[in-house]
Amino acid sequence: MSAGSESAYFRRAGLFWMVLISSSMSFFALTVFWPEHVPYQHLGPLGSFVKYLVRNHYPWLYYGFWAAWAVHVLESLYAIRLCSMKGITNGWVCAKWLIQTLLFGIASLSLLLAYKPGQQKKHK
């Protein structure tokens, strides 16, 4: 890998994780902000559990939602720090890491954490 490609290293998070995290955070938002629109009866045991949480522990759901976003924000700020530490200097690439980690959290951050600059891929 040349020095130029190391300064522009980016990998997209796996599609499975992107769909799972997007769906989960969307469902969480729906549950917190529009609980009357959640089809509890069609969700089986999950619906019963979520309905119980909405009725009896709504403040925990509300603060939990914002805590989840706070964790994503902190992870994305750490991703920017990691870009700097790992020699990723391309501004657009750093912005992609920031946005991807903000949206998908550890699914993105783990890829950046695993990146070892300067190591060649082994070909068989």
Side-chain angles (χ1 to χ4, degrees):
M1 203 180 276
S2 69
S5 62
E6 285 181 359
S7 70
Y9 173 79
F10 181 77
R11 282 187 56 200
R12 183 181 57 81
L15 182 60
F16 171 79
W17 294 112
M18 291 169 65
V19 170
L20 180 68
I21 293 167
S22 298
S23 300
S24 298
M25 291 299 280
S26 297
F27 181 71
F28 204 174
L30 181 67
T31 301
V32 168
F33 297 110
W34 303 281
E36 67 278 2
H37 296 296
V38 177
Y40 301 108
Q41 66 279 9
H42 299 296
L43 299 173
L46 176 64
S48 299
F49 179 65
V50 171
K51 189 174 188 177
Y52 166 79
L53 290 175
V54 168
R55 286 186 175 167
N56 299 299
H57 301 287
Y58 182 79
W60 286 102
L61 285 175
Y62 180 81
Y63 293 122
F65 175 79
W66 291 113
W69 274 110
V71 168
H72 279 234
V73 167
L74 292 173
E75 288 171 331
S76 65
L77 294 174
Y78 185 56
I80 293 299
R81 175 80 173 120
L82 279 176
C83 283
S84 173
M85 291 169 51
K86 294 187 180 238
I88 301 171
T89 57
N90 183 306
W92 174 242
V93 172
C94 289
K96 290 195 309 189
W97 278 114
L98 175 102
I99 292 165
Q100 177 174 267
T101 306
L102 179 64
L103 295 176
F104 307 115
I106 196 67
S108 172
L109 187 61
S110 63
L111 297 173
L112 188 54
L113 286 167
Y115 172 57
K116 307 286 187 227
Q119 290 185 349
Q120 296 288 336
K121 286 185 180 179
K122 294 182 181 179
H123 297 285
K124 292 184 180 183

